[in-house]
């Protein structure tokens, strides 16, 4: 008999970060995850996660709204339904509930985990099959202190854990930010790729000044320098410099990417399962991006191990990730709520091979960090 969904539970989980993580719009010292547990009438459970950055500082969904909307609007549409078709279940959600991509991504992830456990295959198999067993993963230098960032990067390079680095900038004057980045690039040399994420902080004049200086400093990539809705500026900048631009907040799903490319953008695309609405939808976005000749990058909303594992499974099915990934979220947290952490080594992370997401909840840790 095909399993039917019987129960859906959501939990808010707060875990401190190993250091303050500074972005242009906020600074965070604790990450809040919405953990989803879907149970069926055959006794199995699927795990999902919905996570954002800094409450409402980053986007329109907060951890509290994600939980509320799953509990009151989305879960009732799934309870009692067959697990036979995840696409049919997601269509049911999309028909009745607009937006809420992070909440839907958490549910889609849990459904994939549950189905994978029933079939005895990893989520990557459900998504078409893994091409890679190990994917590259950069580290974000976001302390804001130049000497600390240099020391941190050199230690990670020496250990073999990371050789690519992204710097969060945009909260200071552009000349100060550029000096910070240039000093780090000079200290790390050609053995490290250095990129920056401006998180929408610059206007066109500032971006023109900043990107010229960053290009001269040897920076490899500039992510979302201007506001998400200022598409025309993003397109003009993509034609003005040799240094590539990565579109992130400007694009969420396949239709956004198609519209951006049709208007002349020629940079790269940051894929995120959360903003697309789940791993399946993120791979739709990847197909459109690849067809348009856009370079791909596996992005994160700083998910913990559950959300990160889901994204890793998705990215493992892509033939090429031109700019690698940033699936470092669990490493930013002081603790974890799964029994066996993801395996980070050799400048990347292994793709889990066990059924479903390939991870198991540590009930004691979950209880410790669950918001009371």
């Amino acid at each position: 008999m095909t399993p039917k969904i019987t129960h859906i539970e959501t939990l808010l989980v707060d875990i401190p970060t190993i250091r303050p993580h500074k972005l242009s719009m906020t600074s965070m010292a604790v990450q809040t995850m919405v953990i989803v547990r879907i149970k069926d009438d055959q006794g199995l459970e699927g795990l999902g996660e919905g996570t954002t950055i800094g409450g409402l500082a980053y986007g329109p969904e907060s951890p509290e709204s994600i939980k509320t909307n799953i509990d009151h609007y989305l879960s009732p549409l799934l309870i009692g339904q067959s697990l036979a078709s995840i696409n049919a279940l997601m269509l049911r959600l999309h028909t009745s509930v607009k937006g809420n991509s992070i909440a839907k991504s958490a549910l889609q992830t849990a459904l994939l985990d549950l189905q994978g456990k029933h079939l005895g295959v990893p989520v990557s198999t459900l998504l078409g099959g893994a091409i890679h067993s190990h994917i590259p993963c950069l580290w974000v230098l976001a302390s804001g202190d130049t000497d600390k960032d240099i020391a941190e990067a050199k230690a990670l390079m020496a250990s073999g854990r990371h050789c690519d680095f992204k710097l969060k900038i945009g909260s200071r004057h552009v000349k100060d930010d550029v000096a910070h980045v240039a000093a780090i690039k000079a200290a790390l040399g050609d053995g490290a790729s250095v990129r920056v994420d401006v998180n929408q902080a610059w206007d066109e004049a500032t971006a023109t000044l900043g990107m010229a200086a960053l290009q001269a400093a040897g920076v490899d990539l500039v992510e979302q320098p201007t506001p998400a809705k200022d598409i025309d500026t993003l397109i003009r900048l993509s034609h003005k410099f040799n240094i590539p631009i990565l579109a992130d907040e400007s694009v969420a799903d396949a239709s956004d990417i198609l519209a951006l490319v049709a208007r002349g953008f020629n940079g790269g695309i940051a894929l995120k399962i959360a903003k697309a609405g789940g791993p399946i939808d993120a791979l739709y976005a990847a197909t459109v991006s690849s067809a348009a000749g856009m370079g791909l990058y596996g992005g994160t909303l700083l998910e913990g191990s559950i959300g990160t594992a889901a994204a890793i499974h998705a990215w493992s099915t892509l033939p090429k990730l031109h700019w690698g990934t940033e699936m470092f979220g669990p490493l930013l947290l002081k603790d974890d709520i799964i029994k066996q952490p993801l395996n980070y080594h050799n400048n990347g992370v292994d793709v889990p091979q066990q059924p479903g997401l390939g991870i198991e909840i540590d009930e004691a840790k979950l209880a410790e960090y669950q918001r009371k």
Side-chain angles (χ1 to χ4, degrees), residues 14 220 250:
D14 301 303
D220 292 320
S250 289

Side-chain angles (χ1 to χ4, degrees), residues 27-315:
S27 180
M28 52 180 284
V30 174
Q31 180 59 301
T32 299
M33 300 169 284
V34 184
I35 304 302
V36 176
R37 309 182 80 164
I38 297 182
K39 296 182 180 179
D40 65 25
D41 59 2
Q42 296 186 18
L44 290 185
E45 176 182 74
L47 301 172
E49 178 189 338
T51 299
T52 184
I53 299 171
L56 287 171
Y58 183 83
E61 289 181 86
S62 70
E64 294 78 13
S65 74
I66 293 167
K67 174 175 168 54
T68 296
N69 290 336
I70 291 176
D71 290 346
H72 294 283
Y73 296 98
L74 295 164
S75 289
L77 296 169
L78 297 178
I79 299 297
Q81 298 298 308
S82 167
L83 192 64
S85 171
I86 293 177
N87 284 340
L89 292 173
M90 296 308 299
L91 178 60
R92 183 177 175 86
L93 297 184
H94 295 323
T95 301
S96 299
V97 177
K98 307 307 177 190
N100 290 277
S101 63
I102 300 176
K104 289 175 180 176
S105 177
L107 288 168
Q108 187 181 106
T109 296
L111 292 169
L112 286 165
D113 184 38
L114 184 55
Q115 192 173 73
K117 289 172 179 174
H118 275 288
L119 297 176
V121 298
V123 164
S124 58
T125 298
L126 301 179
L127 298 174
I131 298 173
H132 315 285
S133 60
H134 183 83
I135 60 174
C137 177
L138 60 68
W139 178 250
V140 170
L141 301 170
S143 74
D145 183 288
T146 304
D147 292 336
K148 286 183 180 179
D149 283 350
I150 291 172
E152 187 175 300
K154 286 185 173 180
L156 291 169
M157 291 173 69
S159 70
R161 203 180 79 178
H162 302 283
C163 65
D164 299 330
F165 300 95
K166 185 167 83 172
L167 280 78
K168 294 286 188 178
I169 63 174
S171 61
R172 299 179 290 193
H173 190 279
V174 60
K175 291 184 178 179
D176 294 330
D177 270 339
V178 168
H180 171 66
V181 175
I184 292 172
K185 174 59 183 174
L188 300 184
D190 294 336
S193 173
V194 173
R195 305 97 178 264
V196 300
D197 186 358
V198 190
N199 283 126
Q200 314 176 65
W202 290 344
D203 57 24
E204 185 166 2
T206 305
T208 299
L209 174 65
M211 289 187 62
L214 291 169
Q215 183 170 288
V219 171
D220 292 320
L221 187 71
V222 176
E223 183 174 346
Q224 198 66 49
T226 52
K229 293 184 178 181
D230 192 359
I231 300 299
D232 290 336
T233 294
L234 198 68
I235 293 168
R236 284 194 293 271
L237 290 171
S238 75
H239 289 278
K240 189 176 290 187
F241 297 97
N242 292 327
I243 183 172
I245 289 179
L246 188 71
D248 180 9
E249 289 88 357
S250 289
V251 291
D253 55 21
S255 61
D256 291 337
I257 294 166
L258 181 61
L260 185 67
V261 170
R263 291 171 64 176
F265 180 71
N266 68 355
I269 301 294
L271 306 168
K272 292 179 181 175
I273 64 169
K275 67 180 181 180
I280 296 170
D281 303 82
L283 292 179
Y284 292 158
T287 298
V288 172
S289 301
S290 295
M294 300 291 102
L296 301 180
Y297 177 69
T300 180
L301 279 184
L302 300 179
E303 290 94 347
S305 291
I306 296 172
T308 298
I312 289 171
H313 279 286
W315 309 154

